[in-house]
Amino acid sequence: SQLAEENPWALSVHEGESVTVNCSYKTSITALQWYRQKSGEGPAQLILIRSNEREKRNGRLRATLDTSSQSSSLSITATRCEDTAVYFCATDRNVGDNSKLIWGLGTSLVVNP
Amino acid sequence: EAAVTQSPRNKVAVTGGKVTLSCNQTNNHNNMYWYRQDTGHGLRLIHYSYGAGSTEKGDIPDGYKASRPSQENFSLILELATPSQTSVYFCASGEELGGRYAEQFFGPGTRLTVL
């Protein structure tokens, strides 16, 4: 089974709606990162949230982290068509070692006009 | 300016042929990575490097070699390409500084088809 897993695996919303992607992980972490991958591009980081943080914001994006339940969420408010992408969570493989990441399989988000 | 570039962007190879995928980064990062991305498998780490002259095996290194001749360049080599290596390959750079948390910066990807 995956060491990091997003859910649901796919979402479809209309522009202006809010959406939340969830991530569960199975290891102790020092940080969790959310990445977005648009079609034909490589992933790009959206938010990094450290294990001692509970919430992090970046514009319309809000990430939460609950280390007790080993889960994180990424919320996007006022979605736009350009938010259509695959969203990944990624964690460090070993506590304190961020040189390699554990990646989930991603959630595919489609934002319709 | 794009900080991580890959070439070629698309490649068609024949089974048994040699394929070299190239990656260049201008971030001056010590760490570089090669991933492949396939439907249902997400991003899988093939090889990575901590600096010029260093290469390390990732999770799926079989059938692949890597070369890091300089800080800026990292190549992925398929000596004998097979159809199972048909995939999209991504190069990334990243820096893990003591106490800081590394972000990885990805290139645009190379779509490789092995016939």
Side-chain angles (χ1 to χ4, degrees):
Chain A
S1 62
Q2 289 290 120
L3 295 177
E5 187 171 335
E6 301 86 351
N7 71 83
W9 70 271
L11 279 170
S12 180
V13 298
H14 289 100
E15 266 194 316
E17 295 178 341
S18 296
V19 67
T20 297
V21 178
N22 299 297
C23 171
S24 60
Y25 58 91
K26 297 182 179 179
T27 61
S28 296
I29 64 170
T30 51
L32 183 144
Q33 303 182 49
W34 283 97
Y35 284 77
R36 176 178 64 192
Q37 183 179 23
K38 295 186 175 182
S39 180
E41 300 179 4
Q45 190 201 63
L46 298 173
I47 289 181
L48 182 150
I49 183 165
R50 301 175 185 180
S51 59
N52 62 353
E53 297 176 317
R54 291 297 167 259
E55 179 180 303
K56 199 83 169 280
R57 292 178 183 267
N58 179 8
R60 296 181 294 112
L61 307 176
R62 173 179 172 261
T64 65
L65 180 65
D66 184 343
T67 53
S68 63
S69 64
Q70 295 187 312
S71 64
S72 176
S73 69
L74 176 70
S75 298
I76 308 173
T77 57
T79 54
R80 305 168 181 166
C81 289
E82 53 262 39
D83 293 327
T84 293
V86 178
Y87 291 80
F88 294 96
C89 63
T91 65
D92 42 317
R93 293 195 178 207
N94 300 292
V95 172
D97 176 9
N98 294 284
S99 64
K100 298 182 295 295
L101 299 175
I102 296 172
W103 295 83
L105 297 182
T107 289
S108 176
L109 171 65
V110 174
V111 180
N112 300 293
Chain B
E1 312 297 330
V4 181
T5 56
Q6 296 182 231
S7 63
R9 293 295 312 278
N10 291 280
K11 173 75 176 178
V12 178
V14 296
T15 297
K18 181 177 181 179
V19 176
T20 300
L21 306 183
S22 300
C23 177
N24 177 276
Q25 58 110 351
T26 58
N27 295 319
N28 197 32
H29 288 157
N30 287 336
N31 299 347
M32 294 187 74
Y33 310 85
W34 276 107
Y35 293 92
R36 63 178 286 176
Q37 187 174 42
D38 305 283
T39 303
H41 290 281
L43 286 163
R44 292 185 288 175
L45 183 64
I46 305 171
H47 284 288
Y48 59 101
S49 168
Y50 290 123
S54 120
T55 60
E56 305 288 338
K57 293 181 179 179
D59 300 320
I60 54 165
D62 293 347
Y64 303 93
K65 293 183 179 180
S67 174
R68 181 87 182 271
S70 65
Q71 178 83 338
E72 298 80 17
N73 296 295
F74 192 35
S75 298
L76 185 68
I77 303 148
L78 291 66
E79 295 278 4
L80 294 170
T82 69
S84 64
Q85 294 175 312
T86 292
S87 186
V88 180
Y89 291 85
F90 287 98
C91 175
S93 74
E95 186 77 10
E96 194 277 319
L97 304 176
R100 287 189 61 189
Y101 309 93
E103 173 183 354
Q104 292 188 10
F105 296 82
F106 284 79
T110 293
R111 183 172 296 276
L112 173 65
T113 302
V114 183
L115 301 175

